[in-house]
Amino acid sequence: MSKGTVVLAYSGGLDTSCILVWLKEQGYDVIAFLANIGQDEDFEAARKKAEKLGAKKVFIEDLRSEFVEDFIWPAVQANAVYEDRYLLGTAVARPCIGRSQVEIARREGAQFVSHGATGKGNDQIRFELTCYALYPEVKIIAPWRVPEFYNRFKGRIDLMDYAQKHGIPVPVTPQAPWSMDANLMHISYESGILENPKSNAPADLYLMTKNPEESPNTPDVLEIEFSNGVPVKVTNVKESTSKDSPLDIFSYLNEIGGKHGVGRIDIVENRFIGMKSRGIYETPGGTILLQAHLDIETFTMDKEVRRIKQGLGIKFAELVYNGFWYSPECDFVRHCINKSQENVEGKVQLSVFKGQVYIMGRESPKSLYNEELVSMDVQGDYDPCDATGFIRINAVRLREHHRLQGLSSVKK
Amino acid sequence: MSKGTVVLAYSGGLDTSCILVWLKEQGYDVIAFLANIGQDEDFEAARKKAEKLGAKKVFIEDLRSEFVEDFIWPAVQANAVYEDRYLLGTAVARPCIGRSQVEIARREGAQFVSHGATGKGNDQIRFELTCYALYPEVKIIAPWRVPEFYNRFKGRIDLMDYAQKHGIPVPVTPQAPWSMDANLMHISYESGILENPKSNAPADLYLMTKNPEESPNTPDVLEIEFSNGVPVKVTNVKESTSKDSPLDIFSYLNEIGGKHGVGRIDIVENRFIGMKSRGIYETPGGTILLQAHLDIETFTMDKEVRRIKQGLGIKFAELVYNGFWYSPECDFVRHCINKSQENVEGKVQLSVFKGQVYIMGRESPKSLYNEELVSMDVQGDYDPCDATGFIRINAVRLREHHRLQGLSSVKK
Amino acid sequence: MSKGTVVLAYSGGLDTSCILVWLKEQGYDVIAFLANIGQDEDFEAARKKAEKLGAKKVFIEDLRSEFVEDFIWPAVQANAVYEDRYLLGTAVARPCIGRSQVEIARREGAQFVSHGATGKGNDQIRFELTCYALYPEVKIIAPWRVPEFYNRFKGRIDLMDYAQKHGIPVPVTPQAPWSMDANLMHISYESGILENPKSNAPADLYLMTKNPEESPNTPDVLEIEFSNGVPVKVTNVKESTSKDSPLDIFSYLNEIGGKHGVGRIDIVENRFIGMKSRGIYETPGGTILLQAHLDIETFTMDKEVRRIKQGLGIKFAELVYNGFWYSPECDFVRHCINKSQENVEGKVQLSVFKGQVYIMGRESPKSLYNEELVSMDVQGDYDPCDATGFIRINAVRLREHHRLQGLSSVKK
Amino acid sequence: MSKGTVVLAYSGGLDTSCILVWLKEQGYDVIAFLANIGQDEDFEAARKKAEKLGAKKVFIEDLRSEFVEDFIWPAVQANAVYEDRYLLGTAVARPCIGRSQVEIARREGAQFVSHGATGKGNDQIRFELTCYALYPEVKIIAPWRVPEFYNRFKGRIDLMDYAQKHGIPVPVTPQAPWSMDANLMHISYESGILENPKSNAPADLYLMTKNPEESPNTPDVLEIEFSNGVPVKVTNVKESTSKDSPLDIFSYLNEIGGKHGVGRIDIVENRFIGMKSRGIYETPGGTILLQAHLDIETFTMDKEVRRIKQGLGIKFAELVYNGFWYSPECDFVRHCINKSQENVEGKVQLSVFKGQVYIMGRESPKSLYNEELVSMDVQGDYDPCDATGFIRINAVRLREHHRLQGLSSVKK
């Protein structure tokens, strides 16, 4: 007699394989769900493995295009950066995966969903808030927060033992002394030897980007065309090749960014649950897009709209980091940001070289830049005398303040 | 019979030399004031030139140390970046110069101050708001906003003519097809051929940073030590050399940043007066410091304090950009930011290479990072079950919202 | 030979009558434009007066309905309050008047617009920014900033003299020792004896609201129904009368609010130009609506959306106060706020009595209030144990902070 | 063998009496702690009751003065209002009580603290975050979240039964059909019949304020003097009586406010845990102070400082509402707000009448109000022509925007 059906977010790795078997042991029917969001994985091998471990059904879904269009693109529009540095590669992937998992759960009549995220991290939150938001009645089994599970599996050794006993293939290559999470947008590295915030990341850690010391000695020059604040075309200027579907554009930017070692960061960040953690990220395509979007946005967006939108973008980044992609406030903020992008259109030229992105120039039919108005050589529709009044009125308050402070010493 | 005494912000160049003579022509006594804020200038030659042109007095003041300590350091504490990109190199220099100029004006009993800033730019505002704030009764002569002046000098040719007629030395080297402003913190380039936002900046424009294509093939590794959010020591790890006075630290970071081509940006920005303008900046030392400070700050500052302080930093950057360094609100924001830096202390290790700054590790006696708490391997003082309640309570609102929306389709 | 045609915002009073004649004297053709935005005025008498004074044409437009729908309603949606107290009655009227004036100017081929606002106030700015935004080529004549005008008319005596000389009817009733501005939304009083911020406003100053000491001793009870964040019906519960067009609703709320002395404030505010000024306002209907809207909004809007929207509302109030109704940022903010109001729907019951508005109850088909969930008597879909985890996770950061601060004394 | 010592926040009522006995039953030694924060209570009777029920020790502490000075005063400085309406009377009391309770627990070597707050409310969070922040190792027993407790006591009947069995005095007066929480600052009412958000509060509910329909027909006129943003003296102008200690001032404002029915609100608010709840509050003295402080603050504080401080005040209110009084961010915000109050000094005259507070006038030695500058009758140090430039520069951006939008129709 089954306790019910669980849709498990299955990765094909040791942890979720053990969870799959453990859930069956607990009396659940298990549907394995494996999302292809661009990670390097042998999906068919994973399917066979899940089937062999007793999954009732296995769903493998290629979410790459919707990941780019529905999740990465809004992050690009927002210039979404968490705590001034992190481009949210993992955070934007979770609601994408969760949304599909919930769809499967609803479709298959499963009352439970499960995942292999740990009890100290952000991903459990991102995953579960997505599930609760889209499927409020769902029940969630998070084994790494279930005492019977986590007390049984205190370390990798215990998982290995369990795997051997239950016919779960055991990885033959030694595990890296850190954990990683990969998708189309980025790879993140944390834990293990990286937990010491002082120790440097090993040079061979990075999988998505070349070491800039070994990257090409010649830049690639790209032209990225935007419409509504998202890229619609990327052209390699020297090679005259271009891409124009969202997935192709993003993949190509990853390729170029990766080739030139763009987008590596080593940071300490604040998790939603209140701990500081150290993470290393490489986000090649996302880093190029952030720079390009910042450029075309400032070129085409009114200054004061930009200021308000900047605040909304920071809010958006916090919401996404904390797992609130599917929330009334994130819907609202995304709507507002999207509205702000109506005129964010045009082309940015940039070069990519040795870990850096250099903006070179930009053009747009919607630009608010007025070459004549700003020119030092011609007057344009501008009377310099107006600036006198402008400054003097702005000074009214400052002069009052100073006078009333008394003639305090000039230096303070 | 003199109309009064003017303290003129004198640069030694053609424009302010003409202004000096023109002011005399208008009947003023002129005191030339030349601030050394780290620009490359032959100050003694400039003194002689001003004297020769008829300046009643000439003051040359070395403001480099106070520029670093009183102006750059608060910007470092604030992570001050305007519109996500510009590090405010010119904006922080203006109040430093203005403060000294006003001191001289007060000391010398001058009722007037004057400057050579144009009528379309930000600098006129930064300069004049500083003067009004610190010397409310002062009268300001801004020749480029005085019709008799700007109608007479419509182009460089007119200035050259005037110079020749009045014994003002005429520059022998041809003028670059752009204008620049240099100080210890940065060099900015704008106008002329740069006014076309699409055209690329010429490779030979940059004076402060090496072209990354020609910079060394080996990184420099630095350790920067902070206290109260400002650097107190920088050490070149390989070379075992270090600097520990503010001016030496900043100069050394400029040297290393410049050598590796760090801190070049090409942007379109929004001027206070509402125009968009294109500027190219190189800020080598400032760029290294921004990255290092962001790192040590997040390492030592509480997450929620950081969030509030991030907002204050954005406000600070806007105020400084717009010329309000000396204002009640900027005083207030600086005070708050400074308060937030009490525990921003520790060392950041980083490498500088090919235009990029890579954070490698950090340590601090005041860190809020708790390696045991965050570890994946040990539990620390943390019960994973708590996360279940945390997530479920965060979901209360989301589930309510979804239910009340009706069972709308999952994808939207 | 005419210098061109001016559309003058004409009030029918002494000032703008003098301006009309003075503009003609200066060589302009003058079109008088008088907007009916609900002020108490004999419009036909004003028309005749303007014609008699030589206006080429006179346009009197009843803008009351569009004032309510296009200007007051967005302010209601925003809970627009400037500096925590002022409901912006004058500020929302200016762009309404300016928009019509510009339409007339364009239609009549007039290159100039003019108004009687003073040189120290906010209204000149609100008026002119509206004109520049909607008719960028327009030229503005602001006599109170034209030296020939303001030096000639230094006080009311000079205007009276001029009026007598030019056949302008001179007011027979003595002028109140303050100035006022009235429209459908409010009356403001300032200047004259009110300039001393300590002196109390005279009891007979108020025209729109009863003195609460003399207002009825029985409350009126209203039910206001909202849809999309704006009122669609108001019912007097005891009298069973109701209104349902925007103009009728607002007028009725003014009537009831006025009868009970609602909406009087005496404040010092910060003008855009940096002065503090003292103003007295009475906003009867607007005050009732603010309270009712706050109530229905919190009842139906998600908590976190509300927080973001609150910030946008404060921004909106600043923009409107400063005259930026017609600006890209105000368009953007209005759009976002309007979006937030989609579910702000339902009925609020309130009583109005002796200057106060008391919310009594509310109901809504879109409410996010869940009586079962919040009940102290039934559990609803809520597990109290979850709160333990929620609190403990929220405490992670606080406990870390405290520990690292050392065991500092508990009291600080 | 005792499980340890618990310090219980004891109210003297049925719930915490049952909890006291239940904790003993569970094997704990219980110290009863009863804070006097101004509620109407027979403290000595409560002491005897606790002792009789078996409390090992009973501490009754008069926290009224520190409640006013350390908690209410910072809220006054902040103009702290949650969601535009709630003055946080309960929220500011919790950390005051929790601080003392933790001090006792530390002093008495108790490892546990306990309270009678429910599992759906805000108070559990406010209480517990205070305890964790100030005593990180503490263990908290929240019976209403302990299944053995809340399953046993499903309703008041169960508590009454338990009381009778254990010699706990049972209340003889019937319970009001709502719950209330009272302290010096306010009384809140919720639950029971108030859970229906549409039903009106009964007229006899209010204990702290008179019904305005029955309040005096003559106003009281007060003058409140502030220094550093807090009241230092209140004078009844007609009666010429005054108070000048914090507790006396606040108590007197309660008396006057209560007499005139000031400070009643009926709202739906958003709890931290994501539910909407309906609450009725009466905050007589706090409401008077809020109005008076807003007035003197705007009179003495720079406009732009005010804007930044307004944002900090909203943040402060959220933090306090959510229970984060003792947190790094609330410390930081309080510090910044306190800094902003340095010049908030002067006297406000106001009248209190029929539920309303009317500001009448204000004066201050630190005012930034300049009567001459703002006067309509004299020019002061102000040139109206400057406003032309100010407006025209502010219009640069608007005109550009309009032109580039094309000549779209004027009305939109």
Side-chain angles (χ1 to χ4, degrees), chain C residues 95 98-99 102 106 113 125-138 140 323-331 334, chain D residues 391-392 394-412:
Chain C
R99 179 173 75 172
V102 159
R106 282 188 179 279
V113 293
I125 309 173
R126 295 165 183 160
F127 178 82
E128 297 181 23
L129 290 183
T130 298
C131 293
Y132 284 131
L134 300 180
Y135 186 4
E137 316 81 57
V138 77
I140 295 175
F324 289 92
W325 185 282
Y326 287 108
S327 68
E329 66 273 26
C330 201
D331 278 354
R334 267 198 309 275
Chain D
I391 297 168
R392 287 186 55 80
N394 272 297
V396 164
R397 193 171 51 83
L398 310 186
R399 295 166 77 206
E400 283 301 298
H401 182 256
H402 185 273
R403 282 200 185 131
L404 290 152
Q405 294 285 311
L407 289 174
S408 54
S409 83
V410 170
K411 286 209 189 182
K412 43 170 137 181

Side-chain angles (χ1 to χ4, degrees), chain B residues 67-223:
Chain B
F67 180 38
V68 173
E69 292 172 55
D70 297 354
F71 296 88
I72 298 178
W73 274 191
V76 168
Q77 290 184 315
N79 305 322
V81 182
Y82 181 67
E83 294 188 340
D84 290 314
R85 296 185 290 177
Y86 170 41
L87 271 67
L88 297 161
T90 300
V92 296
R94 292 292 167 243
C96 176
I97 300 169
R99 178 172 77 174
S100 276
Q101 186 168 1
V102 159
E103 283 169 344
I104 290 168
R106 282 188 179 280
R107 201 171 59 217
E108 300 291 322
Q111 295 164 284
F112 298 87
V113 293
S114 182
H115 62 80
T118 68
K120 286 182 174 176
N122 291 309
D123 286 334
Q124 54 178 343
I125 309 173
R126 295 164 184 160
F127 178 82
E128 297 181 23
L129 290 183
T130 298
C131 293
Y132 285 131
L134 300 179
Y135 187 4
E137 315 82 57
V138 77
K139 294 194 186 93
I140 295 175
I141 302 169
W144 289 115
R145 297 198 312 260
V146 173
E148 305 89 77
F149 187 90
Y150 67 71
N151 287 328
R152 177 163 176 187
F153 300 105
K154 290 197 170 159
R156 191 168 166 81
I157 297 278
D158 302 315
L159 287 165
M160 302 278 265
D161 278 357
Y162 185 80
Q164 274 175 324
K165 278 183 203 140
H166 292 79
I168 302 167
V170 174
V172 287
T173 51
Q175 197 195 17
W178 54 75
S179 72
M180 58 175 265
D181 177 70
N183 63 44
L184 195 62
M185 189 168 174
H186 88 342
I187 303 180
S188 70
Y189 309 87
E190 57 175 16
S191 309
I193 60 166
L194 304 176
E195 282 172 3
N196 178 348
K198 192 185 170 184
S199 67
N200 300 354
D204 64 349
L205 167 142
Y206 301 95
L207 300 180
M208 208 169 175
T209 57
K210 267 248 171 204
N211 184 340
E213 297 191 36
E214 291 151 22
S215 71
N217 289 312
T218 325
D220 272 291
V221 176
L222 304 180
E223 182 182 81

Side-chain angles (χ1 to χ4, degrees), chain D residues 183-411:
Chain D
N183 64 44
L184 195 63
M185 190 168 175
H186 88 341
I187 304 182
S188 69
Y189 309 88
E190 57 175 16
S191 308
I193 60 168
L194 304 177
E195 281 172 4
N196 178 346
K198 191 186 171 182
S199 68
N200 300 355
D204 66 347
L205 168 141
Y206 302 94
L207 301 179
M208 208 169 175
T209 57
K210 267 250 175 203
N211 184 338
E213 296 190 37
E214 291 151 21
S215 71
N217 290 312
T218 327
D220 273 293
V221 175
L222 304 179
E223 182 182 83
I224 304 181
E225 184 175 344
F226 287 86
S227 181
N228 285 308
V230 298
V232 292
K233 190 176 181 184
V234 57
T235 304
N236 188 314
V237 173
K238 291 179 191 162
E239 300 178 1
S240 291
T241 56
S242 67
K243 309 286 174 184
D244 55 14
S245 81
L247 181 54
D248 287 349
I249 290 170
F250 199 74
S251 301
Y252 186 69
L253 292 174
N254 271 342
E255 181 190 325
I256 296 294
K259 170 181 163 191
H260 290 283
V262 163
R264 296 178 166 196
I265 59 168
D266 176 334
I267 66 172
V268 168
E269 75 198 51
N270 289 294
R271 289 193 186 154
F272 186 21
I273 54 170
M275 296 169 185
K276 290 188 185 290
S277 73
R278 194 260 195 105
I280 291 169
Y281 302 94
E282 43 184 354
T283 317
T287 301
I288 297 172
L289 271 181
L290 173 63
Q291 291 305 320
H293 183 266
L294 276 173
D295 197 73
I296 196 69
E297 185 175 86
T298 309
F299 195 50
T300 54
M301 189 180 283
D302 173 77
K303 171 193 178 192
E304 296 299 322
V305 174
R306 193 197 182 288
R307 245 168 109 172
I308 299 166
K309 188 260 172 184
Q310 182 178 355
L312 292 172
I314 290 170
K315 185 75 196 165
F316 175 76
E318 288 169 4
L319 290 171
V320 171
Y321 185 86
N322 289 345
F324 290 92
W325 185 282
Y326 287 108
S327 67
E329 66 273 26
C330 200
D331 278 356
F332 176 61
V333 170
R334 268 197 309 276
H335 172 91
C336 297
I337 289 174
N338 190 52
K339 171 76 183 170
S340 77
Q341 302 293 301
E342 281 177 357
N343 292 323
V344 179
E345 184 178 324
K347 293 175 189 167
V348 177
Q349 211 176 68
L350 54 86
S351 84
V352 184
F353 179 64
K354 293 279 180 194
Q356 220 4 332
V357 181
Y358 299 92
I359 302 297
M360 299 163 65
R362 73 290 292 163
E363 63 187 308
S364 169
K366 299 277 184 68
S367 168
L368 288 163
Y369 183 95
N370 181 334
E371 198 168 333
E372 190 181 281
L373 179 64
V374 80
S375 173
M376 296 283 280
D377 302 320
V378 298
Q379 190 155 320
D381 180 16
Y382 182 82
D383 180 350
C385 296
D386 288 338
T388 302
F390 180 70
I391 297 168
R392 287 186 55 80
I393 294 290
N394 272 297
V396 164
R397 193 171 51 83
L398 310 186
R399 295 166 77 206
E400 283 301 298
H401 182 256
H402 185 273
R403 282 200 185 131
L404 290 152
Q405 294 285 311
L407 289 174
S408 54
S409 83
V410 170
K411 286 209 189 182

Side-chain angles (χ1 to χ4, degrees), chain A residues 85 103 119-120 133 145 191 195 276 298 301 307 329 355-356 369 373 375-376 378 382 388 397 402, chain B residues 119-120 133 145 195 276 295 298 301 318 329 355-356 369 373 375-376 378 382 388 397 402 411:
Chain A
R85 295 185 289 176
E103 283 169 344
K120 286 182 174 175
R145 296 198 312 261
S191 309
E195 282 172 4
K276 290 188 186 292
T298 309
M301 189 180 284
R307 245 167 108 173
E329 66 273 27
Q356 222 1 333
Y369 183 96
L373 179 65
S375 173
M376 297 283 280
V378 297
Y382 182 83
T388 301
R397 192 171 54 82
H402 186 272
Chain B
K120 286 182 174 176
R145 297 198 312 260
E195 282 172 3
K276 292 188 186 291
D295 197 72
T298 308
M301 188 180 283
E318 287 169 6
E329 66 273 27
Q356 206 28 311
Y369 183 95
L373 179 65
S375 174
M376 297 283 280
V378 297
Y382 182 82
T388 302
R397 193 170 54 83
H402 185 273
K411 286 210 191 182

